[in-house]
Amino acid sequence: MYRNALSDIEEWKYRPDRKPLIIRGARQVGKTWLVREAARKHFDNIIEINFDKTPEKAQLFTTGDVQKSLQLLEVDADTEILPGSTLIFFDEIQAAPNLLPLLRYFYEERPDIHILAAGSLLEFLLADHDFSMPVGRIEYMHLGPMDFEEFLLGLGQERLARFLSNFSLDSPVPESIHNNLMYYVRLFWIIGGMPAAVKRYASEQNFTAVEREHESILQTYQDDFSKYRQRIHSERLRKVFRKLPSLIGGKLKYVNLDPNEKSRNLADCLHLLELARIFYPVRHSAGNGVPLGAEVKERDFKPLFLDIGLVATGLGLNLADFHRKEELLMINNGAMAEQFVGQHLLYRQKSYKRPELYYWNREKKSSQAEVDYLISVSGQVVPVEVKAGKTGSLKSLQVFMSEKKLPAAVRLNSMPPSCLATRSAIAGKYPVSFSFLSLPLYLIGQVERLVRNHPESFGQIR
């Protein structure tokens, strides 16, 4: 397996202004594996403490003296801590919350020691902590599921992954390669990017095993809900959790979650699922400029789930029916395509940036319009439309481009890539010229690079 975040940890190791690093992400996205693999590649040894399994080891750090704590840790681990060679890994750090504020002293007194922490449900601790956080003395890395190119690497398709990373709009994609990549897109839609599911398919080539892995992950999340009892009714939370996969792609209305529950109660459930990083709200932005979050409507959002493979299992799809490939693209009226693109765009930024994503809509009785996603590229707003198949109306995109007068727009669908100069054609509106980049879904990880590095059509976003 390979994760792009490995290079981020390598860069962190050698950075002179390095701070203790905390990895934030949902349960089972591969945080622990990532740290162990980084230790194997870039350190001579690792001292790993899982505070969930061994909570008593938190006592090693109650002395208030960093040097004394390190000495105790050496005794406990029966190894020497060597600056630059030893990685100290605090796993499930949420089980030892008092250790978080102490990280500042490791940074101030022993910045030569590499300290990395991770934890499930860490967002709950960070949201409700009653201690002083070491602001400016720790740094974060945000980790999501595997992306499509990591997925290809996990299945041994290094050449296809390299083809995508080196792809240029100046060269066409041969039909056979295009069809092969679309095959793997469909495969990703039902396996997803959860590392355990990808690993299981890579070793067994069996969809039943993948489905079993998905069910295990989904059940683990629901088992966690018992930990929220002081905050909310756990059964209500389970109902919302189970309903979300069927609501992807449309503006969320609380009545569609549960018509018998109060909106306030359902909003509390969504907030907890967001903290657990299982659910993400794709919020409405006016799209007039960057940052896109400056003009957001907090109550206007579309739901996005953690991972498309979990969505497939959550919807009750029969993964063994993968051979019906054309039907797969149109499952749930194209909402799966929005999930695929959305989970990639959510984590497209540098790993130290908090994941966020926006869309645009206009709700007028006689003129409704919606653009699936808005991203920023080099300080410029770029609308992204998603189509599951080869065709689909672009009227909403035309409306948006006509109103905002932007230089570039992107569409993702199942067709080979193309780029052209075009003009908006909205009745009663003056035509606006813009560059239109149509990309196949398998190039989702290269969208920003292709937009930025195509001077003929996108020179205004340099």
Side-chain angles (χ1 to χ4, degrees), residues 10-280:
E10 181 183 14
E11 185 273 336
W12 167 79
K13 176 187 177 180
Y14 294 107
R15 190 164 6 103
D17 60 344
R18 178 192 62 253
K19 303 170 184 177
L21 178 64
I22 299 178
I23 301 179
R24 302 168 70 170
R27 181 183 288 275
Q28 299 196 39
V29 294
K31 298 185 294 295
T32 300
W33 177 91
L34 177 68
V35 177
R36 291 173 178 170
E37 184 67 7
R40 186 183 69 83
K41 287 178 174 290
H42 306 301
F43 293 87
D44 293 335
N45 68 319
I46 179 174
I47 297 177
E48 177 179 338
I49 300 177
N50 185 311
F51 290 106
D52 198 27
K53 295 180 179 178
T54 56
E56 70 278 3
K57 293 199 175 187
Q59 297 174 13
L60 299 171
F61 306 94
T62 59
T63 66
D65 184 323
V66 169
Q67 194 58 38
K68 181 64 175 178
S69 293
L70 290 173
Q71 291 172 357
L72 292 174
L73 184 57
E74 285 182 323
V75 173
D76 184 77
D78 191 23
T79 188
E80 185 178 3
I81 297 174
L82 299 174
S85 299
T86 302
L87 175 64
I88 299 175
F89 176 33
F90 299 139
D91 200 6
E92 302 296 353
I93 195 173
Q94 80 285 345
N98 292 332
L99 188 58
L100 273 175
L102 297 179
L103 293 179
R104 66 172 294 175
Y105 300 111
F106 283 96
Y107 170 68
E108 293 173 348
E109 299 177 26
R110 292 300 305 271
D112 57 328
I113 301 296
H114 291 79
I115 295 181
L116 206 155
S120 301
L121 305 180
L122 184 58
E123 307 300 313
F124 290 87
L125 177 61
L126 294 174
D128 293 341
H129 60 82
D130 56 0
F131 47 76
S132 178
M133 283 294 291
V135 178
R137 293 169 177 82
I138 57 174
E139 51 188 302
Y140 296 111
M141 171 188 289
H142 299 276
L143 186 68
M146 297 171 71
D147 65 26
F148 180 62
E149 290 168 39
E150 291 173 330
F151 173 79
L152 289 175
L153 292 171
L155 297 186
Q157 298 298 316
E158 292 85 359
R159 289 184 177 86
L160 283 179
R162 195 180 312 121
F163 176 84
L164 295 179
S165 62
N166 294 328
F167 173 76
S168 170
L169 288 166
D170 298 329
S171 303
V173 179
E175 183 178 0
S176 60
I177 295 178
H178 172 79
N179 291 339
N180 197 21
L181 283 164
M182 286 304 302
Y183 165 85
Y184 280 103
V185 167
R186 292 189 292 270
L187 194 60
F188 186 92
W189 283 21
I190 56 178
I191 296 173
M194 301 302 284
V198 177
K199 184 178 181 180
R200 181 62 64 91
Y201 184 79
S203 63
E204 300 184 27
Q205 302 286 302
N206 184 290
F207 292 121
T208 301
V210 170
E211 189 171 32
R212 190 181 299 117
E213 200 66 52
H214 286 164
E215 289 288 0
S216 175
I217 294 171
L218 292 170
Q219 188 59 55
T220 297
Y221 290 153
Q222 294 184 73
D223 290 344
D224 278 342
F225 294 164
S226 61
K227 300 176 183 179
Y228 311 167
R229 285 174 181 167
Q230 294 181 349
R231 296 167 174 260
I232 206 164
H233 192 279
S234 58
E235 185 55 37
R236 183 188 302 131
L237 191 59
R238 287 189 178 90
K239 287 182 180 179
V240 173
F241 174 78
R242 293 167 184 158
K243 187 68 176 179
L244 278 173
S246 66
L247 299 178
I248 293 165
K251 179 179 176 180
L252 190 137
K253 298 179 180 179
Y254 292 116
V255 67
N256 293 332
L257 283 172
D258 191 333
N260 300 316
E261 288 282 0
K262 295 180 179 180
S263 296
R264 177 62 185 174
N265 292 337
L266 296 173
D268 289 342
C269 289
L270 289 174
H271 177 62
L272 291 178
L273 293 174
E274 184 181 359
L275 286 176
R277 299 207 167 191
I278 296 171
F279 148 79
Y280 296 89

Side-chain angles (χ1 to χ4, degrees), residues 20 97 100 107 126 284 305 341 348 367 394 404 409 411 458:
L100 273 175
Y107 170 68
L126 294 174
H284 171 278
F305 211 67
V341 171
R348 73 182 180 88
S367 181
L394 293 171
K404 309 302 179 182
R411 175 183 65 186
F458 295 87

Side-chain angles (χ1 to χ4, degrees), residues 186 318 320-329 331:
R186 292 189 292 270
N318 185 353
D321 289 341
F322 170 66
H323 63 278
R324 295 191 293 182
K325 57 183 181 181
E326 295 305 325
E327 294 180 17
L328 182 66
L329 289 175
I331 283 175

